[in-house]
Amino acid sequence: MRVVELAAQIKADPSLAAGSLAGKSIAMIFAKQSTRTRISFEVGIHQLGAQALALSSGGGTGMQMGRGESIHDTAKVLSRYIDAIVIRTYGQAQVDGLAEHGSVPVINALTDLYHPCQGLADLLTIHEHCGGTKGKKLVWVGAGNNVAHTLLLAGPRAGMDVVCCVPESLPPNAFVVERARRDAAAAGTTIELSSDPVAAVAGANVIYADTWVSMGEEEEAKRLLQLLAPYQVNDALMAAAGEQARFMHCLPAHRNEEVTDSVMDGPQSVVFDQAENRLHAQKALLMLLLGARSWT
């Protein structure tokens, strides 16, 4: 929780971070489209006094990595030029390969398996709006995906119980669930899988949704929309949870699919504070990884 603690301090007093990474250069590699990740990292790096290099791994004007240069060689070369790598891509293997063969910190800004930077912002948001994270109940409603995986792993570390409410045909990754349950047992928290949204959200402090059709799944859209229709977060589901529940969404939202306008814009929604917190959490992470603050 050190990242969350520092992020809260930076949010309260941005001068604590200003210029703290002056002279550093940070490569940002994007294989996937991005709004919040690209802007929050680039703005944050600027506020830290460092240089951001936004790179594409696609063809045309993209990096040579997009034309067949190996991850091994890319990692070796980038490590000679820059101080950290931020990568938003598809396969987890690209992130792991950069970390294995490079000599600078590598930040996973999203893969198909995990979305850890989002998870850090989420913990900060829960801390702000729920009076801390310990003893809280977080309920994921939708399909098992990279954000669900991140929350399953982050929850026990933050002292939260996590319920992953998904259709039986769209479960989270079994390896991730097994790991999360081991972590929960050690932390004295719980991990639960459910397929009943109304029962799952009872007493929840946080109800969390994501778009039902992710990038690369457009051809499956019709099937996914039908499967997930009973999992829409609407006024009735929020009422089943109670007034204490806060609604969260990693964005972009497909309004009136996974969440109704009335919930998204309602008094229990904290989605835009959550989006802002990407900036603060990522600044804290960069400061810690690059030695501007200690981990203790």
Side-chain angles (χ1 to χ4, degrees):
M1 295 294 285
R2 173 62 175 137
V3 178
V4 175
E5 173 190 284
L6 180 57
Q9 294 171 355
I10 292 168
K11 185 174 183 178
D13 182 2
S15 68
L16 295 174
S20 60
L21 295 182
K24 302 291 187 182
S25 296
I26 298 166
M28 304 189 304
I29 302 172
F30 292 95
K32 279 191 170 186
Q33 292 177 330
S34 172
T35 298
R36 279 148 295 278
T37 298
R38 164 72 184 269
I39 295 170
S40 59
F41 263 113
E42 191 158 348
V43 170
I45 291 167
H46 173 74
Q47 292 176 354
L48 294 169
Q51 175 190 22
L53 298 102
L55 309 170
S56 168
S57 63
T61 59
M63 299 171 61
Q64 296 289 350
M65 190 171 78
R67 299 180 61 247
E69 184 169 18
S70 69
I71 293 292
H72 174 280
D73 292 356
T74 299
K76 295 287 187 184
V77 170
L78 287 179
S79 296
R80 302 293 181 103
Y81 297 149
I82 48 86
D83 299 285
I85 299 169
V86 175
I87 179 168
R88 177 182 170 95
T89 188
Y90 293 89
Q92 183 66 31
Q94 284 196 335
V95 178
D96 296 342
L98 288 172
E100 178 183 358
H101 300 297
S103 57
V104 297
V106 176
I107 296 173
N108 179 350
L110 177 141
T111 64
D112 289 342
L113 190 58
Y114 301 118
H115 198 352
C117 290
Q118 180 66 55
L120 292 172
D122 295 341
L123 293 180
L124 175 58
T125 308
I126 295 167
H127 179 81
E128 290 175 338
H129 287 277
C130 299
T133 58
K134 191 171 183 179
K136 308 303 181 186
K137 177 181 177 180
L138 184 154
V139 182
W140 170 269
V141 182
N145 67 7
N146 53 356
V147 181
H149 298 157
T150 298
L151 296 171
L152 283 165
L153 296 174
R157 289 167 169 77
M160 290 190 293
D161 298 323
V162 181
V163 181
C164 193
C165 184
V166 297
E168 292 182 359
S169 58
L170 298 171
N173 179 282
F175 169 79
V176 172
V177 173
E178 180 183 353
R179 180 179 168 189
R181 283 179 165 154
R182 289 199 305 268
D183 292 346
T189 63
T190 61
I191 298 292
E192 179 185 347
L193 297 185
S194 170
S195 58
D196 183 344
V198 174
V201 302
N205 300 100
V206 176
I207 298 174
Y208 200 125
D210 189 7
T211 177
W212 290 343
V213 182
S214 298
M215 283 183 282
E217 296 181 333
E218 289 78 10
E219 292 184 4
E220 297 184 80
K222 184 176 180 180
R223 179 182 71 89
L224 291 170
L225 292 174
Q226 290 175 340
L227 276 172
L228 289 161
Y231 294 81
Q232 183 187 71
V233 180
N234 49 35
D235 290 333
L237 193 65
M238 294 301 295
E243 293 183 358
Q244 80 290 337
R246 296 292 175 264
F247 174 71
M248 296 177 66
H249 194 300
C250 54
L251 301 180
H254 291 184
R255 287 169 174 261
N256 299 310
E257 287 184 7
E258 72 272 9
V259 58
T260 60
D261 282 337
S262 58
V263 172
M264 184 82 169
D265 299 322
Q268 291 171 274
S269 173
V270 297
V271 295
F272 297 110
D273 287 347
Q274 182 185 358
E276 177 191 338
N277 284 338
R278 290 289 302 275
L279 173 66
H280 309 302
Q282 288 159 189
K283 285 165 67 176
L285 179 62
L286 285 165
M287 289 172 68
L288 290 165
L289 288 174
L290 294 179
R293 290 290 187 279
S294 71
W295 284 95
T296 57

